[in-house]
Amino acid sequence: DYKYLTPQEFEALSPWIQNASHVALVGLGETLNSPHLEYFLETLKDKITFISTSGVPLNKKVIEKLIHAQLHYLNLSFDGKTTAGHGGGRDSYINKFWEKVGLIQKIKLALNVSHPILHLTVAVDSENMNQLDKIISSAQSRNISSVDLIYVVPHTLALYEKSVFA
């Protein structure tokens, strides 16, 4: 039933955070849904910060909050057209994802800021392997200059069958 890192749990990490130059916020769920995210970012103002997200909760208000909090890097998890990834391979999800990337870039331009820098992480499986060139060129055309390719880690037989390991 564990959903979010609490401020108390975050503060318990302070010995490590104090000595860190970079801090990445990522979760097994949607990082941007944390009710404490603004507090964490405020506490980390003197650090280089990263947030990983599927992008689903991004809207003008959330993007502006991340910019105001001086988030350095926003890592977007996007897998293209695959039933093993976010959006279940639906075209509507894919189109919405790229619209949100466009919104981020539009808001950054309007506010005349260069942060957060966008990064893309793609979990590669047998369904999206042939889409990688298209995904990377789509990212580059939207001013995302870095892309990580990772493999899907199968934790079920169904995911194993869709993975690169099958």
Side-chain angles (χ1 to χ4, degrees):
D1 233 6
Y2 185 79
K3 290 191 178 191
Y4 308 111
L5 183 70
T6 67
Q8 296 78 16
E9 292 167 325
F10 181 80
E11 288 167 13
L13 301 171
S14 65
W16 290 290
I17 292 171
Q18 288 172 4
N19 291 314
S21 59
H22 298 64
V23 177
L25 300 172
V26 62
L28 293 175
E30 175 50 62
T31 311
L32 293 178
N33 288 344
S34 169
H36 312 295
L37 192 57
E38 287 180 73
Y39 167 77
F40 299 152
L41 289 172
E42 178 63 32
T43 305
L44 298 168
K45 280 235 190 244
D46 63 335
K47 308 293 181 188
I48 295 173
T49 51
F50 301 76
I51 287 180
S52 290
T53 177
S54 68
V56 170
L58 289 170
N59 58 38
K60 186 177 190 294
K61 183 179 176 182
V62 171
I63 295 164
E64 288 176 347
K65 281 183 180 181
L66 296 175
I67 290 170
H68 177 72
Q70 298 177 13
L71 176 69
H72 293 92
Y73 295 93
L74 186 60
N75 180 43
L76 301 165
S77 177
F78 177 72
D79 306 324
K81 192 168 186 70
T82 173
T83 57
H86 301 296
R90 293 185 317 275
D91 288 332
S92 60
Y93 174 83
I94 293 166
N95 294 335
K96 191 73 167 171
F97 176 84
W98 291 120
E99 285 174 21
K100 289 184 183 232
V101 170
L103 179 63
I104 296 166
Q105 300 296 29
K106 180 180 173 184
I107 292 170
K108 286 171 50 176
L109 186 62
L111 296 176
N112 194 29
V113 296
S114 59
H115 68 280
I117 295 169
L118 301 185
H119 176 79
L120 195 67
T121 297
V122 180
V124 180
D125 63 36
S126 62
E127 293 179 9
N128 67 4
M129 194 177 312
N130 294 330
Q131 304 167 44
L132 297 178
D133 287 337
K134 182 179 179 184
I135 293 170
I136 292 168
S137 65
S138 293
Q140 288 176 327
S141 72
R142 291 168 173 88
N143 293 322
I144 300 175
S145 60
S146 61
V147 179
D148 277 338
L149 303 177
I150 61 174
Y151 52 83
V152 169
V153 177
H155 59 278
T156 65
L157 180 58
L159 269 183
Y160 173 78
E161 290 169 352
K162 294 177 183 183
S163 76
V164 297
F165 303 109

